[in-house]
Amino acid sequence: MGLIVQKFGGTSVATTERIRNVGHRVLEEVNKGHQAVVVVSAMGKTTDQLVSLANDLSAYPSKREMDMLLATGEQVTISLLSIALQEMGHQAVSLTGWQAGIQTEKVFSNARITDIDASKIQSLLNENQIVIVAGFQGVSSDGEITTLGRGGSDTTAVALAAALGADRCDIYTDVTGVYTSDPRYVKDARKLDRISYEEMLELAHLGAGVLHPRAVEFAKNYQIPLEVRSSMERERGTIIEEEAQMENGLVVRGVAFEKNVTRMTLFGLDNSHATLSKVFRSLAENHINVDIIIQANTGEKKSSLSFTIHDEDVQNTLSVLEKYSNEIGFDKVESETGLAKVSIVGAGMISNPGVAARMFEVIEGIDAAIKMVSTSEIKVSAVIEQEKMLDAANALHAAFKLGEVAATSVN
Amino acid sequence: MGLIVQKFGGTSVATTERIRNVGHRVLEEVNKGHQAVVVVSAMGKTTDQLVSLANDLSAYPSKREMDMLLATGEQVTISLLSIALQEMGHQAVSLTGWQAGIQTEKVFSNARITDIDASKIQSLLNENQIVIVAGFQGVSSDGEITTLGRGGSDTTAVALAAALGADRCDIYTDVTGVYTSDPRYVKDARKLDRISYEEMLELAHLGAGVLHPRAVEFAKNYQIPLEVRSSMERERGTIIEEEAQMENGLVVRGVAFEKNVTRMTLFGLDNSHATLSKVFRSLAENHINVDIIIQANTGEKKSSLSFTIHDEDVQNTLSVLEKYSNEIGFDKVESETGLAKVSIVGAGMISNPGVAARMFEVIEGIDAAIKMVSTSEIKVSAVIEQEKMLDAANALHAAFKLGEVAATSVN
C-alpha cells in the first residue's frame, strides 16, 4: 500500500464519458489499497474556447485576467471527476490550486511553484478521500490566482508527488509511452521501458511533446519516479528515473526530429564583446525563439554567426535585425528555410566519442548535406534539408539498432 | 462623487458583445467621478450547461462539488468584463468570492453570507481600480467554495453595498423596473418610480422575479437604496427604499398573479396540538413547498385544514400524506388543481380596511369563485379558478387605478 499521484491530460477528460473512464483508472489503484491524489487538466478544447472569448474583447488581454479565466477550466474538471467517483460509491473531494496549497511566484501565465502546503491534502487522504487537484494553477502569497503555463499540469503532479513523498507519479496521456522515435514516421520505433531524466529532458525539448520539460526537471530534482502511460489502453508505459537503473549497454536511446527550421547567418559581424548579446536580446524582446547557435570566432576582427529559428519567424527576424543593424554591426544577413533538425539522444553518449562520427556517416550515407551541428553531453543534433529528414531518422534508428530490445553499443 | 455597486445578471452578460456593453454602462458612472464595484452573474446559459455536465455523471451530484463546478461560471464573466474594461483604457481587476472576502456559512448550494471583509476591495478602489466581483459565491471559514443559491448575485451586490457603505446599489436586469403588474398580461401595467422594501418583498415572493427576496431583506436591514433598471435601455428604473419616501396616497401598489396552484384539503383532522407540525414537517422533508395555509379550528374535536401547493407536487403530496396518515390522523384528503392566486400588494393597506372588501367585489364582479383567502399586513391574496386569473388581474389593476400615475385611495 502506497501513495500514488496520477495526472490525466485534457484529451483524457475531454468528455463526461472519458471522465468516467478516468474514474475507473483511479479506482484500479485505490482498489489495490493505494491512496490516490489525482491531478487533471481542463477538458479538451476548453482552454482554447476561453482564450477565444478573451480575444473577442482584446487582442492583448492582461495576463492576470487570463489566469483568472483559464483557471476555471481545471476547476470544472475536478468537480466532474469527483462527482463521477462519488457516483461509483467512493469518497472523493476536489481542490482548486489555492485550496490544495500550491503556492507560486506572482508571475501570471508562467508562474513557478515556490512551495506546497500539503497539510489539507494529507488530512483528506487520512479520511480515506480520493483527492482531486486542479492542475496548471496556484496562488501567489497575496492571494492572486496564477497559472503555470503550458504543460503545467505535469508540473503540478510531480510537485505534489514530491511534497507528499508519493511512491510514484503516473502521467496518463494519449500516447502509450516514450518511444525511440516518432512511430508515425519511423517504422521500427519501439516503446522504451525506461529512460533517464536527462534523456527525457532532451527528448522533451526536442519536441517529443510527451512530458513538459519543467515537470521532468522537478522529478529529477526530487527523484520522483515517473511513468508515462496511456489513459485509453492497458499496457505499461515508460518509467522515467535516475540513470543508475537503466538498461545496460545502451548508448543512443532515441531519435528526434523536427521540420520548418530556418538557418540565419550574419556575415561580417564585429567581434567586439557585446555583439552576441545585442543580437539575441533584440530577438528575445521580439518573442523570436532561437534554437541552435553557432559561432566560430577565429580571433579575426570580423566573423560570422549562424542560428536557427522557426520558418514562420523569418520575416520578423529579418526586420528586427534590420532595425538594429547599426547597433549590432554586421555586413549582411542570409537565410535558408526548409531545413530540418535530426537529433540522437542518449546518456551513454558522452563516454562514446564514436557516436557523433557514426551519426554523420549515416546522414552522409543517405546523401544529405549537413548544414549545422550542435552537441550536448547526451545529444547530437544535425540540421539537414527537410526532404531528407525522415530518411535520416529511419536510417539513424536502424543504425543504432533502436528497434531491438537490447540495443548494443556503437561500432 | 460616491461609491456605486452595480449588478448585472446572466442575460446582460450572455455574449462578449453584451459584456462590452456592460463595460460602457459601468464607465458611465466612472466618468461621473464615481468609484464602481461591479457584481456579475454567469454568462447566459452557462449554469444550465454545467448542471447538464454534472447530470451526465450523476442524477444526484453532491452539493459541495456542484458549488465547485458552478462557481466557475461567474469567474469566467469577471475576467472577461475586466479584460473589456482594460481594453477601453481603464484600470480594472476581477475578484472571485473568496478573494473579495465574502464569507458564508458552510452550507453548500444555499449558503448565507456571514461576513464581508471588504479591505481588499477598498484598497483596490483606493488605487482607482474598477473592482469586478463574482456574484453568487463565497467561501466558508474552512476554505470551502460555497454558492448562495438562485438569485444569489443580487444578494452579493447588496451585501457588498452594505459592507462598503455604498451610496447606491443598481440592479441591472432584463426588465426596465418594477411594474404594477405583469405588462405581458395586464395592458395598463405601469412602471413604478418607487416602491418600499416590504412591498418589493411581497412582490418578489409572489413571483415577480425581478429581485431575489433575500437581497431585498438585506437591503432593508442595512437601508441600502436599490434601483432596478434595464441593462439594455437608458430609462430610469424603480427605486426601492424605506416607506417614508414613497409617493403619497397610494394604497395598492401592484397586482401579482401565478397559476398552477392546487388546493389540498384534509378533513376530519385530529385537533391534538402536534397535528399541524406533523403535516408540514412531513411535506418539508419531502421538498414540497407549501404556500397558503388555512385552518379554522372552531374548538371541536375534529377540523379541516387547507393549503396550496404547485400542481406538479400533487402526486408526491398525496403519497406523503398517505404514508403518514396514521401518524397524522385524518379522515380523508381532497385536492383541486387548475387554480390560480391573485394578490394585491401595498404598504398602505393595513390602515385601509376597505381594500380587501373592494378586492372581493371586483373578483365577484367577473363571476370568479373565491376558493381561499390569505392576508398579510401589506397583501391580500385570493385563490380562484385559473381561467379567470388574467381577467381578475386586469379588473383589479383597473379598479385600483394602478395605470394612473397618481393612484388614489380606495372608494
Side-chain angles (χ1 to χ4, degrees):
Chain A
M1 181 186 141
L3 170 59
I4 317 284
V5 175
Q6 299 174 293
K7 181 259 172 176
F8 294 89
T11 315
S12 306
V13 294
T15 64
T16 48
E17 195 189 334
R18 289 194 188 171
I19 287 174
R20 203 180 286 117
N21 286 339
V22 165
H24 291 301
R25 297 304 290 259
V26 171
L27 292 183
E28 283 175 26
E29 299 296 343
V30 170
N31 291 335
K32 288 176 193 161
H34 295 309
Q35 293 180 311
V37 173
V38 188
V39 176
V40 288
S41 303
M43 294 171 74
K45 302 284 172 207
T46 304
T47 302
D48 293 341
Q49 288 163 358
L50 292 171
V51 168
S52 158
L53 283 175
N55 285 338
D56 274 0
L57 293 165
S58 173
Y60 301 102
S62 81
K63 289 183 173 180
R64 179 194 185 276
E65 298 302 334
M66 285 308 291
D67 281 5
M68 176 68 86
L69 181 65
L70 297 183
T72 63
E74 290 75 28
Q75 189 171 332
V76 168
T77 318
I78 56 172
S79 58
L80 292 177
L81 179 56
S82 186
I83 287 167
L85 285 164
Q86 289 170 355
E87 182 71 14
M88 295 171 193
H90 287 260
Q91 292 196 94
V93 63
S94 66
L95 299 176
T96 62
W98 61 270
Q99 289 177 321
I102 297 173
Q103 296 278 343
T104 75
E105 309 166 319
K106 187 175 174 177
V107 173
F108 297 110
S109 91
N110 204 22
R112 284 173 179 270
I113 294 174
T114 51
D115 193 25
I116 292 187
D117 173 0
S119 57
K120 177 150 190 172
I121 295 179
Q122 195 61 65
S123 77
L124 289 166
L125 288 172
N126 294 345
E127 295 169 15
N128 291 314
Q129 299 274 1
I130 301 170
V131 182
I132 324 284
V133 179
F136 175 72
Q137 59 181 249
V139 66
S140 70
S141 57
D142 59 348
E144 295 279 64
I145 293 175
T146 56
T147 71
L148 311 180
R150 285 266 164 199
S153 292
D154 291 345
T155 309
T156 303
V158 176
L160 282 175
L164 291 161
D167 297 284
R168 217 172 67 220
C169 181
D170 294 349
I171 309 285
Y172 286 85
T173 177
D174 49 0
V175 298
T176 51
V178 181
Y179 279 72
T180 53
S181 197
D182 188 331
R184 288 172 298 177
Y185 304 110
V186 176
K187 64 177 173 8
D188 293 333
R190 179 177 62 88
K191 191 178 69 188
L192 292 161
D193 293 332
R194 292 171 187 278
I195 189 171
S196 72
Y197 297 119
E198 289 82 357
E199 290 168 330
M200 189 65 220
L201 272 176
E202 288 288 7
L203 287 171
H205 282 296
L206 288 168
V210 176
L211 256 183
H212 196 267
R214 207 190 278 178
V216 180
E217 283 167 22
F218 219 106
K220 175 174 156 56
N221 288 344
Y222 290 91
Q223 295 288 308
I224 307 290
L226 302 180
E227 180 169 346
V228 172
R229 55 188 303 189
S230 166
S231 62
M232 312 293 173
E233 297 175 43
R234 321 299 305 174
E235 60 182 289
R236 301 299 305 181
T238 300
I239 293 170
I240 303 158
E241 60 191 354
E242 217 27 282
E243 202 180 335
Q245 302 168 48
M246 293 293 115
E247 300 165 35
N248 291 324
L250 288 178
V251 175
V252 177
R253 307 275 307 165
V255 175
F257 46 89
E258 60 182 88
K259 54 185 182 175
N260 300 320
V261 172
T262 289
R263 177 178 64 173
M264 307 288 301
T265 307
L266 299 185
F267 295 96
L269 201 67
D270 196 320
N271 273 336
S272 68
H273 77 285
T275 308
L276 283 183
S277 64
K278 281 178 194 159
V279 170
F280 294 108
R281 175 155 308 283
S282 64
L283 295 174
E285 282 170 359
N286 287 277
H287 307 288
I288 297 163
N289 280 321
V290 172
D291 183 11
I292 297 174
I293 298 172
I294 290 174
Q295 191 197 30
N297 186 340
T298 54
E300 292 170 64
K301 188 153 175 275
K302 292 199 170 184
S303 65
S304 63
L305 163 72
S306 292
F307 56 87
T308 62
I309 55 174
H310 193 279
D311 281 352
E312 68 189 15
D313 286 330
V314 172
Q315 285 314 313
N316 195 8
T317 304
L318 288 173
S319 65
V320 168
L321 290 173
E322 192 172 340
K323 187 174 162 196
Y324 293 93
S325 59
N326 282 337
E327 198 184 329
I328 297 170
F330 57 87
D331 296 340
K332 66 168 179 171
V333 56
E334 280 182 10
S335 66
E336 182 174 8
T337 58
L339 301 178
K341 182 172 73 166
V342 178
S343 307
I344 56 174
V345 173
M349 222 176 261
I350 188 169
S351 51
N352 280 266
V355 171
R358 181 88 186 97
M359 181 185 187
F360 303 147
E361 281 169 19
V362 172
I363 293 176
E364 288 160 8
I366 60 159
D367 282 330
I370 297 176
K371 309 275 183 175
M372 292 172 89
V373 169
S374 163
T375 60
S376 79
E377 295 192 348
I378 64 167
K379 183 192 70 169
V380 183
S381 297
V383 174
I384 62 175
E385 308 100 302
Q386 194 158 294
E387 58 265 36
K388 298 281 189 179
M389 178 181 78
L390 294 181
D391 285 351
N394 275 283
L396 288 165
H397 199 271
F400 289 109
K401 300 186 172 65
L402 294 178
E404 299 168 23
V405 174
T408 57
S409 63
V410 140
N411 300 326
Chain B
M1 184 185 137
L3 169 58
I4 317 284
V5 174
Q6 299 174 292
K7 181 259 174 178
F8 294 88
T11 315
S12 306
V13 293
T15 64
T16 47
E17 194 188 333
R18 288 193 188 171
I19 288 174
R20 203 179 288 117
N21 285 339
V22 164
H24 290 301
R25 296 305 287 260
V26 171
L27 292 183
E28 283 175 26
E29 298 296 343
V30 170
N31 290 336
K32 289 176 195 161
H34 295 308
Q35 293 181 312
V37 173
V38 188
V39 175
V40 287
S41 303
M43 293 171 74
K45 301 286 172 206
T46 304
T47 302
D48 293 342
Q49 288 163 358
L50 293 170
V51 168
S52 158
L53 282 175
N55 285 337
D56 275 0
L57 293 165
S58 173
Y60 301 101
S62 79
K63 289 182 174 180
R64 179 194 185 276
E65 298 301 335
M66 286 308 291
D67 281 6
M68 177 68 87
L69 182 64
L70 297 184
T72 63
E74 290 77 27
Q75 191 171 331
V76 168
T77 318
I78 55 172
S79 57
L80 293 177
L81 179 55
S82 186
I83 287 167
L85 284 164
Q86 289 171 355
E87 182 71 14
M88 296 171 193
H90 287 260
Q91 289 199 95
V93 61
S94 66
L95 300 176
T96 62
W98 62 270
Q99 289 178 321
I102 297 172
Q103 296 278 341
T104 74
E105 308 165 320
K106 188 174 174 178
V107 173
F108 297 110
S109 90
N110 204 20
R112 283 174 180 269
I113 295 174
T114 52
D115 193 24
I116 292 187
D117 174 0
S119 57
K120 179 149 186 172
I121 295 179
Q122 195 62 64
S123 77
L124 290 166
L125 288 172
N126 294 346
E127 295 169 15
N128 290 315
Q129 300 273 0
I130 300 169
V131 181
I132 323 285
V133 179
F136 175 71
Q137 60 181 252
V139 66
S140 70
S141 57
D142 59 347
E144 295 279 63
I145 294 173
T146 56
T147 70
L148 311 181
R150 286 267 165 199
S153 292
D154 291 345
T155 309
T156 303
V158 176
L160 282 175
L164 291 161
D167 297 283
R168 214 172 70 219
C169 181
D170 293 348
I171 308 286
Y172 286 84
T173 177
D174 48 1
V175 297
T176 51
V178 180
Y179 278 73
T180 53
S181 196
D182 189 330
R184 289 173 299 178
Y185 304 110
V186 176
K187 64 178 174 8
D188 291 332
R190 180 177 61 88
K191 192 177 71 188
L192 292 162
D193 291 332
R194 293 172 185 275
I195 189 172
S196 73
Y197 297 120
E198 288 81 358
E199 290 167 330
M200 190 65 220
L201 273 175
E202 288 289 5
L203 288 171
H205 282 295
L206 288 170
V210 176
L211 256 184
H212 197 268
R214 208 190 277 179
V216 180
E217 283 166 23
F218 221 106
K220 175 174 155 57
N221 288 344
Y222 290 90
Q223 295 288 306
I224 307 290
L226 302 180
E227 179 168 346
V228 173
R229 55 188 302 190
S230 165
S231 62
M232 313 291 172
E233 297 174 46
R234 320 301 304 174
E235 60 182 288
R236 300 301 305 182
T238 300
I239 293 170
I240 303 158
E241 60 191 354
E242 220 25 284
E243 201 180 336
Q245 301 168 48
M246 294 292 114
E247 300 168 35
N248 291 323
L250 288 179
V251 174
V252 176
R253 306 276 305 167
V255 175
F257 45 89
E258 61 181 89
K259 55 186 183 177
N260 301 319
V261 171
T262 289
R263 177 179 64 176
M264 306 288 302
T265 307
L266 299 185
F267 293 97
L269 202 68
D270 197 320
N271 273 337
S272 68
H273 78 286
T275 308
L276 283 182
S277 63
K278 281 177 193 158
V279 171
F280 294 108
R281 177 156 306 283
S282 64
L283 294 175
E285 281 170 359
N286 287 277
H287 307 289
I288 297 163
N289 281 321
V290 173
D291 182 12
I292 297 174
I293 299 172
I294 291 176
Q295 193 198 27
N297 186 337
T298 54
E300 292 170 63
K301 188 153 175 273
K302 292 198 170 187
S303 64
S304 64
L305 165 72
S306 292
F307 55 88
T308 63
I309 56 173
H310 193 279
D311 282 352
E312 68 188 15
D313 285 330
V314 172
Q315 286 312 314
N316 196 8
T317 303
L318 287 173
S319 63
V320 167
L321 290 173
E322 190 171 342
K323 189 174 161 197
Y324 294 94
S325 59
N326 283 337
E327 197 185 328
I328 298 171
F330 58 87
D331 295 339
K332 66 167 180 170
V333 56
E334 279 182 9
S335 66
E336 182 175 7
T337 58
L339 301 178
K341 183 172 73 166
V342 179
S343 308
I344 55 172
V345 172
M349 223 175 261
I350 189 170
S351 50
N352 281 268
V355 171
R358 181 87 185 97
M359 180 185 187
F360 303 147
E361 281 170 17
V362 171
I363 293 176
E364 286 160 10
I366 59 159
D367 280 330
I370 296 176
K371 309 276 183 173
M372 294 173 86
V373 169
S374 164
T375 60
S376 79
E377 296 193 346
I378 65 167
K379 183 192 70 170
V380 182
S381 297
V383 174
I384 61 175
E385 308 101 304
Q386 193 158 296
E387 57 264 38
K388 299 280 188 178
M389 178 181 79
L390 294 181
D391 285 351
N394 275 285
L396 289 166
H397 199 271
F400 289 108
K401 300 188 173 65
L402 294 178
E404 299 167 23
V405 173
T408 55
S409 61
V410 141
N411 301 326

